[in-house]
Amino acid sequence: MSEPTPTHATSPLAALRDAIGLCVHCGFCLQACPTYLAAGEENDSPRGRILLMRAMADAELAIDDPVAAAHLDRCLGCRACETACPSGVPYGMLLEGARAAQHAHRPPPRLARWILRAFARPRLLALLLALARAARALGVASLAARLPGRTGFGAAMLAATAVRRSAPEEPARHVGTSSTARTDAHSAAARGRAVILRGCVMRGLYAGTNHATTRVLAANGYALCTAPGQRCCGALHAHAGDMDTARRLARWNIAAFERVGADVIVVNASGCGAAMKEYGHLLRDDPAWSARAAAISARVRDVSEVLAAAGPRPGALPPRVRPLRIAYDAPCHLHHAQRVTGAPLQVLHAIAGAELVPLADADQCCGSAGIYNLVQPALADAVLARKLDAIAAAGADIIVTGNPGCLMQIGAGLLRAGQRTRVMHLVDLLDAAYAGREP
């Protein structure tokens, strides 16, 4: 190991020293940690990583120590340990702080840098996603999904985003783009004005799900408005330790949603929702933005929360010989980061013609974790294998989840394993039920 570099008093790790001290190393986190279960290595467990963070904060270990960095890099950031922890250790905050401290000394891998750079540049990202859609439409992704290794898996992830729909793709009518926009009779009687985070991958590869989101919200009494000027939420950058870019993107989004003045900001990608709910923490040290960030964070809701608050309005799938067997797989950043657990199940129970079946370890990560599956493929595969085994045992027709990374990761795994089970977004299933069609 390299010689320790004293931790600067204003570094993220020094500021989080008290939070690091909350860990009593009890071990409750071990069985909740996917990488510990897959690797069996103490330093690949939450408490092991916290010990490394403590050593770096106390200048007993260099911030850029390559061995410590490797163990931190192997963390999915799923935050299941937070749910299991009896001491309330804010592990997600600690992980981002450690990676931010390392970022100044050691940049992310080249592939990660390319991806993060693209997500911070709207025009470049739009071009790349357009090329991805073309590859999907031409069948290139489906053909390449048969290839071995990362190339084949990456192609399978893209192929898994192809959703065949019989319903129209037009979104519900929006009522305006500003708080002073004239509203009609529907919006006046609505539950409130809602604006949707269009997202990056959601807008680029799951546009139909965004449209379905507007339809189901309108069907449940929400008036829809738009928020021009949205950018990437910054989650990927914060997870990678690039806090400057994460804050810059957060400011863009805060300003965009402030101009709208909607009652609620609806997010159908749980990773983005978790990041936006933490904008107040991200910008806590910025006097010009801290209060504005906290105000926006307070209005962010996962789409399942909004629908559950509305009832939701019941729907029914077409009559079948037997009910459609549905299993719910909880996205990590909805279940563990946002602590939203009951709302998705409440939505599923509102769908007649669907039988909800249990999925073992539904709260365990699938191995996607943003871009983790691209930069840590071996561990991502090991984590996904456990998920695929659980899906096979559940015997469900459809796995429902609420995050694009999970949809792509599980979808690719099912495709390459030859399993007949499909994976789809919660909103798409409810939208199909409202239309009375097969999902």
Side-chain angles (χ1 to χ4, degrees):
M1 294 187 178
S2 55
E3 286 298 317
T5 301
T7 303
H8 194 276
T10 59
S11 76
L13 277 180
L16 295 175
R17 186 60 180 81
D18 289 344
I20 291 173
L22 292 175
C23 179
V24 297
H25 313 294
C26 64
F28 279 90
C29 60
L30 297 181
Q31 294 306 309
C33 178
T35 55
Y36 176 78
L37 294 176
E41 166 66 47
E42 175 70 18
N43 283 332
D44 287 325
S45 73
R47 72 176 181 184
R49 294 182 177 112
I50 288 174
L51 282 173
L52 294 175
M53 296 177 199
R54 175 177 291 170
M56 288 188 287
D58 293 343
E60 296 172 356
L61 189 66
I63 289 178
D64 58 350
D65 182 87
V67 176
H71 291 297
L72 292 177
D73 287 347
R74 286 201 285 267
C75 180
L76 288 151
C78 69
R79 296 171 65 170
C81 52
E82 291 187 21
T83 302
C85 180
S87 302
V89 176
Y91 181 82
M93 182 175 68
L94 295 179
L95 180 66
E96 289 185 358
R99 287 177 173 171
Q102 290 181 323
H103 190 270
H105 301 275
R106 171 183 162 273
R110 181 177 302 173
L111 177 60
R113 293 200 302 272
W114 289 346
I115 295 172
L116 295 174
R117 188 175 297 120
F119 272 80
R121 292 163 174 76
R123 292 182 181 177
L124 175 59
L125 182 61
L127 173 62
L128 294 175
L129 289 173
L131 293 174
R133 290 194 301 272
R136 183 180 67 185
L138 294 172
V140 175
S142 296
L143 289 173
R146 303 172 185 174
L147 296 174
R150 281 294 96 185
T151 300
F153 192 86
M157 288 174 61
L158 178 57
T161 67
V163 180
R164 295 177 178 84
R165 301 174 187 271
S166 57
E169 290 302 310
E170 293 79 14
R173 184 163 59 91
H174 293 80
V175 301
T177 58
S178 73
S179 57
T180 58
R182 183 176 62 85
T183 59
D184 56 18
H186 168 72
S187 64
R191 294 178 178 276
R193 299 177 73 248
V195 61
I196 298 171
L197 175 75
R198 295 195 303 267
C200 300
V201 175
M202 291 303 296
R203 176 172 46 180
L205 299 178
Y206 289 100
T209 303
N210 275 357
H211 295 164
T213 302
T214 65
R215 290 192 293 269
V216 300
L217 289 173
N220 281 275
Y222 289 92
L224 278 299
C225 54
T226 58
Q230 298 180 38
R231 295 284 182 92
C232 169
C233 68
L236 296 179
H237 303 84
H239 297 335
D242 184 2
M243 307 308 287
D244 289 339
T245 303
R247 294 186 184 103
R248 176 165 55 85
L249 292 170
R251 293 186 189 102
W252 270 99
N253 286 323
I254 291 166
F257 288 114
E258 283 178 336
R259 289 191 292 268
V260 176
D263 300 299
V264 62
I265 301 167
V266 182
V267 185
N268 58 14
S270 62
C272 302
M276 293 186 68
K277 286 183 177 182
E278 295 177 354
Y279 275 177
H281 174 76
L282 180 67
L283 294 170
R284 66 194 182 281
D285 296 325
D286 188 330
W289 288 88
S290 58
R292 297 169 66 180
I296 288 296
S297 291
R299 289 155 54 194
V300 176
R301 297 289 184 276
D302 184 75
V303 64
S304 66
E305 292 182 275
V306 177
L307 292 171
R313 196 194 94 186
L317 298 173
R320 304 168 54 89
V321 175
R322 64 177 177 83
L324 198 67
R325 291 169 59 84
I326 306 293
Y328 172 64
D329 189 66
C332 295
H333 279 80
L334 185 63
H335 188 101
H336 301 297
Q338 299 184 53
R339 303 298 173 95
V340 175
T341 57
L345 298 174
Q346 186 175 336
V347 173
L348 288 173
H349 282 302
I351 301 174
E355 175 190 353
L356 192 60
V357 299
L359 177 67
D361 297 325
D363 60 341
Q364 283 274 344
C365 187
C366 66
S368 172
I371 60 174
Y372 183 93
N373 53 2
L374 300 177
V375 297
Q376 295 284 343
L379 264 178
D381 284 348
V383 172
L384 176 60
R386 293 171 58 91
K387 183 67 66 179
L388 295 178
D389 288 343
I391 290 173
D397 300 304
I398 294 176
I399 301 297
V400 169
T401 189
N403 190 60
C406 304
L407 290 166
M408 296 174 73
Q409 175 81 349
I410 296 173
L414 292 171
L415 177 65
R416 284 168 63 89
Q419 293 192 34
R420 296 175 60 86
T421 306
R422 292 174 291 156
V423 61
M424 67 186 304
H425 197 288
L426 172 68
V427 164
D428 287 319
L429 182 63
L430 185 61
D431 186 49
Y434 285 166
R437 60 177 170 83
E438 287 286 332

